[in-house]
Amino acid sequence: MSAKIIDGKQVAARVREELAGLVAQRIEQGGSQPHLAAVLVGDDPASAVYVRNKERACAKVGMKSTLIKLPRETSQSELLELVASLNADASVNGILVQLPLPPQINEVDVLDSISPLKDVDCFHPENVGLMMQGRPRFLPCTPHGCQELLIDSGTIVAGAHAVVLGRSEIVGKPMAALLVQKGAGANATVTIAHSRTQNLAEITRQADILVAAIGKPEFVTADMVKPGAVVIDVGINRVGDKLVGDVDFEAVSQVASAITPVPGGVGPMTIAMLIKNTLRAAEIQTGTSS
Ligand code: GUN
């Protein structure tokens, strides 16, 4: 078997087109241009690329973005002060602090200080709680992007056994929460497996849908995948000068029925969902949300 490639780049372009229409409509009706403020601390090259891609995506849909670059030595209190000023700035709708942060900064304290109404990453405990309860204000960008790819590829999620490999706050945990909800692209039976799971391959082989977010290059091998499974690869790992996912793409695409590539799978969808959240944040803040 040779799996169908789920083209995240193409789906993300379509989502952006829809969002561009909604942004134009909002502005036509006298609404403000949605505005994302991204904060980058230090000079991590991968983070710089991500932030640049986020800015480009904003421009493509007609949104405003501001990048605030701070030196690697920035103190916790300086960063908290910046976030407080962005919280208070009514012209800023969404705030994104790019992770990871340098070691002198407590990530949780900084993320918790972002106004929940501007928390377009959906990292704030209030927003995580609302999402868990099935009444989301925002949806977490990467898990939401994966869910949209499942829907777009025609994967039947309801009643399927979804195995999420990885338990991070950014992907694994919220991914499992979205898949188990009632609603489109959900209603799955969900297992979370991780680095401490016993008989891991036995569990992943039971997956109709396998979401790999364990952060280890090409960790998922063909023998870990049930024939015909749909495989979503969230990993982005640099190996030498090559980017690879958490899935051994060549081998697993001989077993799976559909698979996302790296790059060009989940990554562009994460950014598209961030843009969607920024528009939603603008709508919530100006009382124009439906
Ligand atoms: N670093 C890696 N992924 C993410 C993300 O989704 N949001 C933020 N803010 N930082 C990240």
Side-chain angles (χ1 to χ4, degrees), residues 47 50 54 96-100 111 121 123 141-142 170 270:
S47 289
Y50 292 146
K54 288 167 187 176
L96 176 140
V97 176
Q98 185 66 29
L99 303 178
L111 297 178
D121 266 320
F123 289 165
C141 302
T142 299
I170 297 186
T270 295

Side-chain angles (χ1 to χ4, degrees), residues 52-105:
R52 195 179 328 128
N53 287 340
K54 288 167 187 176
E55 285 205 287
R56 280 190 188 147
C58 281
K60 279 185 194 157
V61 301
M63 285 189 189
K64 182 176 173 185
S65 71
T66 303
L67 172 60
I68 301 148
K69 275 189 184 171
L70 297 175
R72 191 180 2 184
E73 317 74 60
T74 301
S75 70
Q76 163 112 352
S77 59
E78 283 168 328
L79 185 53
L80 287 171
E81 255 175 55
L82 171 66
V83 171
S85 73
L86 295 171
N87 284 340
D89 183 344
S91 79
V92 170
N93 302 117
I95 303 171
L96 176 140
V97 176
Q98 185 66 29
L99 303 178
L101 290 168
Q104 73 277 14
I105 294 175

